[in-house]
Amino acid sequence: MTRQTPADATGTDVRAAAARGLAPVLKDQGSLAGLNEASVAPRDRALLKELCFGTCRHLPRLEALAGELLRQPLKKRDQDVQALLLLGIYQLLYMRIPAHAAVGETAGAARLLGKAWATRVLNGCLRRLQREAAALQARVDRTPSVALAHPEWLLDAFRSAWPEQWRALAEANNRPGPMTLRVNARHGHREAYLADLAELGMTGRPCAHAPDGITLDRPCDVATLPGFDSGRASVQDEAAQLSAVLLGPTLAPRPGAQVLDACSAPGGKAAHLLEQFDIALTALDSDGERLARVEATLERLGLNAQLHHADATQRGDWSKTEFDAILLDAPCSGTGVIRRHPDIKRLRRPADIPRLAELQARLLDNLWPLLTPGGTLLYATCSVLPEENADQINAFLARTPDARNTTPDDVAWGQPSGAGRQLLPLDDGHDGFFYARLVKAAA
């Protein structure tokens, strides 16, 4: 097994914090979005995040190995101890932490959780893994969903949707995505920003498809990026940056155009549109806390928009305007961004897919009448499942006579998928995304 991540920080406290952060995910009671990085010293925060995200990234495989190591399953009330065991396995198989530290400090962390009895159990399991790693891994890897560290239902869905690419898709999900930046065009060009990065010893390359994008060779703390606080750059995946590219033909020649970002949080796409075009933007989100993130994003970048805490499946004060363009980045399964949100593997359920598809359809049907004749609606998801993408748009076009598909087919990114275009996650490249650009017939 390839060891992926260098690390030299140690400590029982960070392992205990990681177990506390991971246990709610194991109990289906929370996500890694709730991870309290401030619970450990600043020098340990990168390790804490790597422990939790890396463990979630390989969770199905780690759980299968834990099942081999434990004489009997741990009780539900001891999910924090289960989390420590999974964290220990992850360190031994995937990190460069010395084995004695991975075992000793992980087992020792049980005392900080008030469960000193578990130190002996953890020590025994992890030392057995050291002795029998090859045989144990060979045994659990007989099951494809374990070997590829995905829930079986999700792997089946990938296999059905992408019979030629499903394995590469799953493997890409198991590796961290690169750190990609979006250079603010109102503060200068990408080449100038690359030069400023180089002066600081930070290397990167222009994104292949997003004109404002830079992929860094190594991730970094955003605070070290030149001009981050003053809005010169933002962190945004290359695929997400394509929404501004696709809306360009509608917005570039139309200063003052009315634009709606219907599901705006955290605000990256809205900010990109405002950086690129002189438009009047209305941003909605049904989650007040997430809408506050939009406000903070725009404030850092020095941009302005009308913000509304509103549900885009309903009408409200915001809907009294007709819009020249609508961006619908619809709520979805997130199956194209698993590498950045690996707890999706644990938290998502098969029943979520039809529920989300129904919500996406309601959003499309409620927003379409708000589009001016000749206006453009860009539908996007970070999903790779046809139910949320190609099937969704094909059904919308079938029931909406004045909608016409204008998704470009002469671009170098993604592949045709129904009436839209699908991107699958690429190693060291963009995330998985779907786009369909629809134009309303002129009156």
Side-chain angles (χ1 to χ4, degrees), residues 268-308:
K269 296 182 186 66
H272 195 193
L273 292 174
L274 288 164
E275 290 168 2
Q276 288 284 316
F277 309 111
D278 294 320
I279 55 174
L281 189 131
T282 300
L284 310 184
D285 207 274
S286 59
D287 185 319
E289 290 186 11
R290 284 170 55 79
L291 189 66
R293 292 180 61 191
V294 180
E295 186 173 16
T297 296
L298 297 182
E299 185 176 357
R300 179 179 66 82
L301 295 167
L303 301 168
N304 293 302
Q306 290 278 337
L307 303 184
H308 293 270

Side-chain angles (χ1 to χ4, degrees), residues 85 88-89 92 102-103 106 122-130:
L85 178 56
I89 299 171
L92 287 173
V103 175
T106 301
L122 292 166
N123 255 316
C125 288
L126 295 176
R127 293 197 186 286
R128 184 184 164 205
L129 178 65
Q130 285 182 279

Side-chain angles (χ1 to χ4, degrees), residues 242-260 273 276-280 323-327 368 371-379 404-408 436-440:
L242 295 175
S243 58
V245 175
L246 286 163
L247 283 172
T250 299
L251 301 181
R254 215 181 225 173
Q258 293 286 338
V259 180
L260 173 67
L273 292 174
Q276 288 284 316
F277 309 111
D278 294 320
I279 55 174
F323 297 97
D324 301 300
I326 295 175
L327 170 60
W368 187 256
L371 196 63
T372 57
T376 298
L377 185 147
L378 183 64
Y379 177 84
R404 179 170 60 89
N405 174 39
T406 64
T407 308
R437 189 174 64 191
L438 311 175
V439 169
K440 192 172 193 176

Side-chain angles (χ1 to χ4, degrees), residues 367-412:
L367 294 172
W368 187 256
L370 302 177
L371 196 63
T372 57
T376 298
L377 185 147
L378 183 64
Y379 177 84
T381 75
C382 54
S383 167
V384 297
L385 301 179
E387 295 92 328
E388 303 177 90
N389 297 335
D391 296 352
Q392 181 70 261
I393 294 303
N394 289 345
F396 178 75
L397 288 169
R399 66 177 181 269
T400 313
D402 60 348
R404 179 170 60 89
N405 174 39
T406 64
T407 308
D409 56 10
D410 58 349
V411 293

Side-chain angles (χ1 to χ4, degrees), residues 179-181 190-206 214-228 232-235:
M179 183 171 179
T180 302
L181 307 180
R190 176 167 68 178
E191 289 68 28
Y193 199 79
L194 276 166
D196 289 348
L197 287 171
E199 280 192 14
L200 295 173
M202 305 164 78
T203 56
R205 62 186 185 282
I214 293 173
T215 298
L216 295 179
D217 293 336
R218 296 185 63 181
C220 68
D221 186 328
V222 295
T224 65
L225 292 169
F228 181 80
R232 284 190 67 197
S234 301
V235 177

Side-chain angles (χ1 to χ4, degrees), residues 144-145 150-162 166 385:
S145 61
H150 279 65
E152 194 164 344
W153 74 268
L154 188 55
L155 206 61
D156 287 344
F158 289 169
R159 193 183 287 113
S160 173
W162 307 105
W166 68 272
L385 301 179

